[in-house]
Amino acid sequence: MYVCVPRARRADQRREPPLTVHHLNQLLLVCSLVLLVAVAAVRISSRSGLPSLLVYLGIGVLMGQDGIGDIHFDNAEMTQVIGYAALVVILAEGGLGTKWKEIRPALPASSVLALAGVAVSVGVTASAAHHLVGLEWRQALIIGAVVSSTDAAAVFSVLRRIPLPARVTGTLEAESGFNDAPVVILVVAFSTVGPVEHWYVLLGEIALELVIGAAVGLAVGWLGSWGLRHVALPASGLYPIAVMAIAVTAYAAGALAHGSGFLGVYLASMVMGNAKLPHWPATRGFADGLGWIAQIGMFVLLGLLVTPHELGDDVVPALVIGLVLTMVARPLSVVLCLTPFRVPWQEQTLMSWAGLRGAVPIILATIPMVSGIEGSRRIFNIVFVLVVVYTLIQGPTLPWLARKLRLGEDSEAADLGIESAPLERLRGHLLSVAIPEGSRMHGVEVNELRLPAGAAVTLVVREGTSFVPLPTTVLRRGDELLVVATDPVRDAAERRLRAVGRGGKLADWLGTDGADTR
C-alpha cells in the first residue's frame, strides 16, 4: 500500500541528513589534527615551564564560539560525564606510577593534609568568597570545595626536571591522589538542591565513603595483581588492557557500593603498580599514553565549554579568591597539618606554593551547573579564571623556588628496568633486565650478581649482538640481560638485581642486598 508522506515531514527529513561515512571521516580528521597539535604543544610547555593543561585549554578556547573554530558547545552534563571518565584514567595512571617506597614514609602526613588540610582550605576560601566577593554561602562553599583539590600532573609537569627529596614528592603525590575523593563528596553535597546537611552528618558520610572506597580499591587491586601474576595471557598486549580494566572496575565497584570510586581506582592502581606485574614497561607506557589522551581531550572540552566574553565580570573575584587561597588558605593548611610531623620549613614552603590547581577543579565546577544551583555559571567562570591565572603565576616559579630553598638532591643511581614474562608451563619467569646509564651494575661480573639458586643469566644483548655470558663476563651500561628464574625465587631474584643496580658489588655491605635473597 502506498502511503503519502506530507511535504513538511519530507522537508524536516532533508534538514536533518543521516550521519554518513563522510561525516565520520571529517570528525576523525579534526580529532587527529587536534591531538597532533596538542602533542606538539607538549614540547612548548616543557620548554617554557608551563603546565601543559594551559595549552590544551587554549586549544579548546580557540575552537570555541569566541575563537576561530566558532563551535558552540554548552552541554555541562556531557562535559561532567566525560570529565569523570578522564579523571578515572588519570588517577589510574597516577596510581600505577606511584612508588610505595617513596610515599610510605609520607603517608601519615599526606593523609592528614588531604583530609584536615582540605577542611581548612574550604573554610578559609569560602569565608573570603562570602565576605570579600559577596557570594552567597552555598556558592562560597562550593567554590571553596572545588578549588581545594590539588593536581599532581600539573605540579610534576613543572618539577620533573628537578630532583626533590622523596618526602616532598611523596607527600605531594599522595595528597593529590587522596584529596580528590573528599573534595568530590563535598562539592556534590553542597550542590544538592535543598538545605545543606549538618556538618557532623556530612563528616560521617565522607568518612564512610572513604572507608568503603579504600576497602574496595585495596581488595580489587590485590585480587587483580594476584590474577595477573598467576595467569599467563596469550599475548603481552593484553596485560595493559587488563590492568586498566581492573582499575576501572575498582572505580565502578566503589561507586556502586556507595563509596568513593576515585579513591578506589587510585589505591587499586597503586597496589598493581607496586606488584611487579608481567610486562610492566609495556603496561606503564600504555597507561601513560591513555593518561595523556584523557588530559588532552578533557582540557580541550573544558576550553570549549567556557565562553570567554562572559569572563570579564568574574576576573576580579577570581583574583581575590585565588589570592586568599594561594597566600592564606594553602599555607595555613600546610603549616597546621605538617608541623606536628616535624617537616622542615623549607619543605613546607615549597609544598605551600606547589598546590597547583589543574583539571579537577574545572571538572568539579560543572557539578553545580548540572544540579541547577543558582549562580553556577558564575562559579564555573570564577574557577576557570582562577586556575588559568594562578597556574601561570605558580608554574614557572616552582623550579626557581625549589632551587632557592636548596631542596634539590644529588642524583641517585638509576634503577633497573625489569620486565617479567610468566612461563606458565615451565613454572618459571623470564626477566628482561635493561642496565641504564646511571646503574651501579656497570662493571659487575655475572658471578658477582649472586642470584639465588634457581635463577641464572642466560643471555646478554650488547650493542645489537647477543651471546651466552660466562661467570666472569663483565656487565656494562646499555646491556640487556635475560634472566630465567623458577617461580619460588622470582621475587628474590628481582630484589637482588635491583640491589646490585643500586649498590654495585658492595650491595651486601651497603645494606641494599634485599631480604630473603639467599
Side-chain angles (χ1 to χ4, degrees), residues 413-424:
D415 199 7
L416 297 174
I418 301 179
E419 181 173 354
S420 174
L423 305 173
E424 190 173 34

mmCIF file with all atom_site columns, all heavy atoms in Angstrom, residues 413-424:
data_model
loop_
_atom_site.group_PDB
_atom_site.id
_atom_site.type_symbol
_atom_site.label_atom_id
_atom_site.label_alt_id
_atom_site.label_comp_id
_atom_site.label_asym_id
_atom_site.label_entity_id
_atom_site.label_seq_id
_atom_site.pdbx_PDB_ins_code
_atom_site.Cartn_x
_atom_site.Cartn_y
_atom_site.Cartn_z
_atom_site.occupancy
_atom_site.B_iso_or_equiv
_atom_site.pdbx_formal_charge
_atom_site.auth_seq_id
_atom_site.auth_comp_id
_atom_site.auth_asym_id
_atom_site.auth_atom_id
_atom_site.pdbx_PDB_model_num
ATOM 1  N N   . ALA A 1 413 ? 71.628 6.504   41.943 1.00 0.00 ? 413 ALA A N   1
ATOM 2  C CA  . ALA A 1 413 ? 71.842 5.502   40.912 1.00 0.00 ? 413 ALA A CA  1
ATOM 3  C C   . ALA A 1 413 ? 70.535 5.184   40.220 1.00 0.00 ? 413 ALA A C   1
ATOM 4  O O   . ALA A 1 413 ? 69.507 5.003   40.866 1.00 0.00 ? 413 ALA A O   1
ATOM 5  C CB  . ALA A 1 413 ? 72.430 4.236   41.537 1.00 0.00 ? 413 ALA A CB  1
ATOM 6  N N   . ALA A 1 414 ? 70.573 5.157   38.889 1.00 0.00 ? 414 ALA A N   1
ATOM 7  C CA  . ALA A 1 414 ? 69.355 4.882   38.132 1.00 0.00 ? 414 ALA A CA  1
ATOM 8  C C   . ALA A 1 414 ? 68.878 3.458   38.389 1.00 0.00 ? 414 ALA A C   1
ATOM 9  O O   . ALA A 1 414 ? 69.679 2.525   38.473 1.00 0.00 ? 414 ALA A O   1
ATOM 10 C CB  . ALA A 1 414 ? 69.615 5.087   36.639 1.00 0.00 ? 414 ALA A CB  1
ATOM 11 N N   . ASP A 1 415 ? 67.573 3.298   38.545 1.00 0.00 ? 415 ASP A N   1
ATOM 12 C CA  . ASP A 1 415 ? 67.014 1.993   38.813 1.00 0.00 ? 415 ASP A CA  1
ATOM 13 C C   . ASP A 1 415 ? 66.950 1.189   37.526 1.00 0.00 ? 415 ASP A C   1
ATOM 14 O O   . ASP A 1 415 ? 66.872 1.726   36.422 1.00 0.00 ? 415 ASP A O   1
ATOM 15 C CB  . ASP A 1 415 ? 65.615 2.133   39.409 1.00 0.00 ? 415 ASP A CB  1
ATOM 16 C CG  . ASP A 1 415 ? 65.184 0.864   40.129 1.00 0.00 ? 415 ASP A CG  1
ATOM 17 O OD1 . ASP A 1 415 ? 66.033 -0.044  40.259 1.00 0.00 ? 415 ASP A OD1 1
ATOM 18 O OD2 . ASP A 1 415 ? 64.017 0.803   40.545 1.00 0.00 ? 415 ASP A OD2 1
ATOM 19 N N   . LEU A 1 416 ? 66.969 -0.134  37.685 1.00 0.00 ? 416 LEU A N   1
ATOM 20 C CA  . LEU A 1 416 ? 66.914 -1.019  36.540 1.00 0.00 ? 416 LEU A CA  1
ATOM 21 C C   . LEU A 1 416 ? 65.501 -1.074  35.977 1.00 0.00 ? 416 LEU A C   1
ATOM 22 O O   . LEU A 1 416 ? 64.520 -0.957  36.705 1.00 0.00 ? 416 LEU A O   1
ATOM 23 C CB  . LEU A 1 416 ? 67.348 -2.436  36.941 1.00 0.00 ? 416 LEU A CB  1
ATOM 24 C CG  . LEU A 1 416 ? 68.778 -2.627  37.433 1.00 0.00 ? 416 LEU A CG  1
ATOM 25 C CD1 . LEU A 1 416 ? 68.963 -4.058  37.914 1.00 0.00 ? 416 LEU A CD1 1
ATOM 26 C CD2 . LEU A 1 416 ? 69.773 -2.318  36.329 1.00 0.00 ? 416 LEU A CD2 1
ATOM 27 N N   . GLY A 1 417 ? 65.422 -1.286  34.668 1.00 0.00 ? 417 GLY A N   1
ATOM 28 C CA  . GLY A 1 417 ? 64.131 -1.578  34.059 1.00 0.00 ? 417 GLY A CA  1
ATOM 29 C C   . GLY A 1 417 ? 63.998 -3.079  33.885 1.00 0.00 ? 417 GLY A C   1
ATOM 30 O O   . GLY A 1 417 ? 64.738 -3.693  33.117 1.00 0.00 ? 417 GLY A O   1
ATOM 31 N N   . ILE A 1 418 ? 63.098 -3.694  34.633 1.00 0.00 ? 418 ILE A N   1
ATOM 32 C CA  . ILE A 1 418 ? 62.935 -5.141  34.619 1.00 0.00 ? 418 ILE A CA  1
ATOM 33 C C   . ILE A 1 418 ? 61.526 -5.477  34.151 1.00 0.00 ? 418 ILE A C   1
ATOM 34 O O   . ILE A 1 418 ? 60.547 -5.009  34.723 1.00 0.00 ? 418 ILE A O   1
ATOM 35 C CB  . ILE A 1 418 ? 63.186 -5.763  36.010 1.00 0.00 ? 418 ILE A CB  1
ATOM 36 C CG1 . ILE A 1 418 ? 64.606 -5.420  36.487 1.00 0.00 ? 418 ILE A CG1 1
ATOM 37 C CG2 . ILE A 1 418 ? 62.984 -7.271  35.972 1.00 0.00 ? 418 ILE A CG2 1
ATOM 38 C CD1 . ILE A 1 418 ? 64.931 -5.982  37.859 1.00 0.00 ? 418 ILE A CD1 1
ATOM 39 N N   . GLU A 1 419 ? 61.446 -6.299  33.097 1.00 0.00 ? 419 GLU A N   1
ATOM 40 C CA  . GLU A 1 419 ? 60.154 -6.745  32.590 1.00 0.00 ? 419 GLU A CA  1
ATOM 41 C C   . GLU A 1 419 ? 60.056 -8.250  32.775 1.00 0.00 ? 419 GLU A C   1
ATOM 42 O O   . GLU A 1 419 ? 61.000 -8.991  32.478 1.00 0.00 ? 419 GLU A O   1
ATOM 43 C CB  . GLU A 1 419 ? 59.990 -6.389  31.106 1.00 0.00 ? 419 GLU A CB  1
ATOM 44 C CG  . GLU A 1 419 ? 58.648 -6.800  30.541 1.00 0.00 ? 419 GLU A CG  1
ATOM 45 C CD  . GLU A 1 419 ? 58.438 -6.282  29.135 1.00 0.00 ? 419 GLU A CD  1
ATOM 46 O OE1 . GLU A 1 419 ? 59.286 -5.531  28.664 1.00 0.00 ? 419 GLU A OE1 1
ATOM 47 O OE2 . GLU A 1 419 ? 57.411 -6.629  28.533 1.00 0.00 ? 419 GLU A OE2 1
ATOM 48 N N   . SER A 1 420 ? 58.922 -8.707  33.278 1.00 0.00 ? 420 SER A N   1
ATOM 49 C CA  . SER A 1 420 ? 58.744 -10.126 33.584 1.00 0.00 ? 420 SER A CA  1
ATOM 50 C C   . SER A 1 420 ? 57.678 -10.727 32.689 1.00 0.00 ? 420 SER A C   1
ATOM 51 O O   . SER A 1 420 ? 56.614 -10.145 32.499 1.00 0.00 ? 420 SER A O   1
ATOM 52 C CB  . SER A 1 420 ? 58.348 -10.305 35.059 1.00 0.00 ? 420 SER A CB  1
ATOM 53 O OG  . SER A 1 420 ? 58.030 -11.657 35.322 1.00 0.00 ? 420 SER A OG  1
ATOM 54 N N   . ALA A 1 421 ? 57.969 -11.897 32.151 1.00 0.00 ? 421 ALA A N   1
ATOM 55 C CA  . ALA A 1 421 ? 57.003 -12.650 31.361 1.00 0.00 ? 421 ALA A CA  1
ATOM 56 C C   . ALA A 1 421 ? 56.856 -14.036 31.993 1.00 0.00 ? 421 ALA A C   1
ATOM 57 O O   . ALA A 1 421 ? 57.841 -14.766 32.117 1.00 0.00 ? 421 ALA A O   1
ATOM 58 C CB  . ALA A 1 421 ? 57.460 -12.782 29.910 1.00 0.00 ? 421 ALA A CB  1
ATOM 59 N N   . PRO A 1 422 ? 55.657 -14.427 32.416 1.00 0.00 ? 422 PRO A N   1
ATOM 60 C CA  . PRO A 1 422 ? 55.489 -15.733 33.060 1.00 0.00 ? 422 PRO A CA  1
ATOM 61 C C   . PRO A 1 422 ? 55.595 -16.875 32.057 1.00 0.00 ? 422 PRO A C   1
ATOM 62 O O   . PRO A 1 422 ? 55.118 -16.776 30.925 1.00 0.00 ? 422 PRO A O   1
ATOM 63 C CB  . PRO A 1 422 ? 54.083 -15.648 33.661 1.00 0.00 ? 422 PRO A CB  1
ATOM 64 C CG  . PRO A 1 422 ? 53.367 -14.664 32.794 1.00 0.00 ? 422 PRO A CG  1
ATOM 65 C CD  . PRO A 1 422 ? 54.402 -13.667 32.350 1.00 0.00 ? 422 PRO A CD  1
ATOM 66 N N   . LEU A 1 423 ? 56.251 -17.975 32.466 1.00 0.00 ? 423 LEU A N   1
ATOM 67 C CA  . LEU A 1 423 ? 56.330 -19.202 31.682 1.00 0.00 ? 423 LEU A CA  1
ATOM 68 C C   . LEU A 1 423 ? 55.496 -20.245 32.419 1.00 0.00 ? 423 LEU A C   1
ATOM 69 O O   . LEU A 1 423 ? 56.000 -20.996 33.262 1.00 0.00 ? 423 LEU A O   1
ATOM 70 C CB  . LEU A 1 423 ? 57.794 -19.654 31.547 1.00 0.00 ? 423 LEU A CB  1
ATOM 71 C CG  . LEU A 1 423 ? 58.758 -18.602 30.979 1.00 0.00 ? 423 LEU A CG  1
ATOM 72 C CD1 . LEU A 1 423 ? 60.190 -19.090 31.045 1.00 0.00 ? 423 LEU A CD1 1
ATOM 73 C CD2 . LEU A 1 423 ? 58.376 -18.252 29.553 1.00 0.00 ? 423 LEU A CD2 1
ATOM 74 N N   . GLU A 1 424 ? 54.201 -20.247 32.133 1.00 0.00 ? 424 GLU A N   1
ATOM 75 C CA  . GLU A 1 424 ? 53.266 -20.990 32.972 1.00 0.00 ? 424 GLU A CA  1
ATOM 76 C C   . GLU A 1 424 ? 53.558 -22.483 32.958 1.00 0.00 ? 424 GLU A C   1
ATOM 77 O O   . GLU A 1 424 ? 53.601 -23.143 33.999 1.00 0.00 ? 424 GLU A O   1
ATOM 78 C CB  . GLU A 1 424 ? 51.839 -20.727 32.498 1.00 0.00 ? 424 GLU A CB  1
ATOM 79 C CG  . GLU A 1 424 ? 50.783 -21.260 33.445 1.00 0.00 ? 424 GLU A CG  1
ATOM 80 C CD  . GLU A 1 424 ? 49.391 -20.831 33.029 1.00 0.00 ? 424 GLU A CD  1
ATOM 81 O OE1 . GLU A 1 424 ? 49.157 -20.716 31.813 1.00 0.00 ? 424 GLU A OE1 1
ATOM 82 O OE2 . GLU A 1 424 ? 48.552 -20.623 33.906 1.00 0.00 ? 424 GLU A OE2 1
#
